[in-house]
Amino acid sequence: WIHRSPLIEKGSVLLAKPGEWSVMFPFFHKSVILITDHEDEYTRGFVLNRPTIRSVSSGRLEFNVWYGGPCEGGSDASTRLFDAAAQRHFCLHSQPLPGSDLVAPGIYITEPWAASRSIMEGKAQVDDFMLLVGHCMWGPGQLQAELDEGQTWEMAAMDTKAVLRFLPRQHRALRRRRCLSRGFPLWRRLYRRIGKLVEGNDIAREHVERLSDAELLRFVQDLSQSQDVERSDATDASALEGNEQVQWQDTVRKVLYLMQQDLSASQQENCCEALRNLIVDQDSRSFATDLGAIESVLAAMKAHSDAAGVQGHCAGTLTHLAAGLRERELIFNLNGLDVVVSGMQQHEDASLVQYKGCAVLANLAADEESQVTVAQSGAIPRILRGMERHLNEQLVQDYCIGALFNVSRAPQNMVNLVLSGGERVVRAALQIHPDAPTVKKVGQVL
């Protein structure tokens, strides 16, 4: 059984709605996501319908690999599955085995080492486990906001005991055929059963859906590329690097094109987060800036000034952009400093906005003239206010104290800091977060 549900809870299932948004985020296109954690601070889930033709070994055991989501699992063509040591592996299964946590009736989650131990002890078989690389993560209120907007997800409750019923059969099919799969059958079956699959002649909708299908195929093909392909000569290596450059540049263009449309707050938030992940060096920074990235980010922040997620994630994108001199000057010229400080003021209770905003301020305060300009915007009391409101949030204290350090290098700003009660706030950060990296490094100096 399965039916639509308004509740986000452990064991519920998200079904992705086809639409323009999924062209930019193909890893979510027609995905089926199991919610495994739902807390005040975050919601986590795993994509269930993205098997790969890859496998990983654990001792003498070999597990088929499933793509669980873009967090710590790779989200674009330039981020290969399994490349980073930080990527986490999880195992879903249907038995109450040692070292496992209950998600919902008939579904448990554990780590590969515990799964391997149960297999070696004869309590389970390899095919009983779905080994997932990466996961999906939403911040406080983010998933609910996306559901309320109604453009990206359908939430459903279903018989969780049926979720992994056919897993052994799927494993056998993967080993036998080793063919690529976009996971459409499961999504289509569940989407039809909640009454949302519509057949028709909407040409525009069908065009977008076909485009999203094609983008997903490219993504699945990328996930399945072998790590062990030999580069026979420098020409092959150069060709590969050139293809990767074209791919990320094309993705930047797509993101910025979408940001210029009349998007909802959550869509702009996702676009800003995607853009932030694409801006990783001066080449990508310059390329995005030439295409109007700073203007697009600031426009999104102004259009959705009441959305904490937009303010936070767009500030994160500005932080990456503000690492360049030309980009800092453009942010100042476009009154971006005022936009950031205003967002911090409007969303005092949102820790994301406070620490992301402080990260921008720290980068903008790169020289004495800029430090004075940042202070004149009212940044120092705003930073201190954020630290006071989030005394127990280590990220806020760490990023904000870094911003204070950069801004206060101008002598007149240090006087402003002292008169604004900065010493008391900094002492509190040192007392509560003595091991936070930046607090530890510059707190005593301040």
Side-chain angles (χ1 to χ4, degrees), residues 246-298:
V246 169
Q247 287 172 339
W248 72 255
Q249 289 179 343
D250 187 45
T251 304
V252 169
R253 290 190 185 96
K254 290 178 181 177
V255 172
L256 291 174
Y257 170 77
L258 282 177
M259 291 184 71
Q260 292 164 12
Q261 311 308 307
D262 184 18
L263 298 183
S264 66
S266 68
Q267 290 172 323
Q268 287 287 14
E269 179 181 332
N270 288 333
C271 284
C272 274
E273 191 171 4
L275 189 59
R276 175 179 61 84
N277 289 328
L278 290 164
I279 299 171
V280 296
D281 53 25
Q282 189 55 50
D283 286 342
S284 54
R285 189 175 299 116
S286 297
F287 181 79
T289 299
D290 289 341
L291 292 178
I294 294 173
E295 291 88 344
S296 295
V297 170
L298 293 176

Side-chain angles (χ1 to χ4, degrees), residues 13 20 33 101 106 123 129 140 177 192 195 205 217 221 227 257 275 284 361 388 390 394 439:
V13 172
E20 291 184 4
I33 300 174
D101 294 321
K123 298 176 181 176
F129 297 93
R177 293 198 299 264
R192 179 180 288 114
R205 180 185 61 79
L217 179 60
Q221 289 171 332
Q227 281 182 291
Y257 170 77
L275 189 59
S284 54
L361 298 178
E388 289 178 314
H390 300 277
Q394 180 171 311
V439 171

Side-chain angles (χ1 to χ4, degrees), residues 332 337-338 367-379 413:
F332 280 123
L337 173 60
D338 293 334
D367 54 59
E368 186 169 346
E369 181 181 355
S370 298
Q371 290 152 13
V372 172
T373 302
V374 171
Q376 288 173 342
S377 72
N413 291 350

Side-chain angles (χ1 to χ4, degrees), residues 84-118:
Q87 289 170 349
R88 296 192 61 188
H89 296 53
F90 301 86
C91 290
L92 294 179
H93 60 96
S94 59
Q95 304 176 53
L97 298 169
S100 298
D101 294 321
L102 178 68
V103 174
I107 303 179
Y108 297 83
I109 189 168
T110 189
E111 296 191 44
W113 67 267
S116 298
R117 184 179 65 185
S118 294

Side-chain angles (χ1 to χ4, degrees), residues 149-219:
E149 286 167 1
Q151 298 187 39
T152 50
W153 308 109
E154 288 287 348
M155 177 63 75
M158 67 176 295
D159 177 11
T160 53
K161 294 179 181 178
V163 170
L164 302 178
R165 181 179 300 164
F166 301 109
L167 184 58
R169 182 189 303 176
Q170 290 173 301
H171 281 309
R172 289 193 294 272
L174 282 172
R175 286 195 296 271
R176 183 172 62 252
R177 293 198 299 264
R178 309 304 291 177
C179 59
L180 298 176
S181 171
R182 290 177 288 185
F184 287 170
L186 176 61
W187 174 87
R188 189 176 292 114
R189 183 166 67 251
L190 297 182
Y191 211 63
R192 179 180 288 114
R193 289 188 62 183
I194 63 169
K196 297 299 293 184
L197 191 63
V198 178
E199 305 292 346
N201 296 315
D202 187 332
I203 296 176
R205 180 185 61 79
E206 291 178 358
H207 172 73
V208 170
E209 191 166 341
R210 284 197 300 271
L211 181 59
S212 298
D213 288 350
E215 290 294 324
L216 176 59
L217 179 60
R218 289 176 57 186
F219 178 73

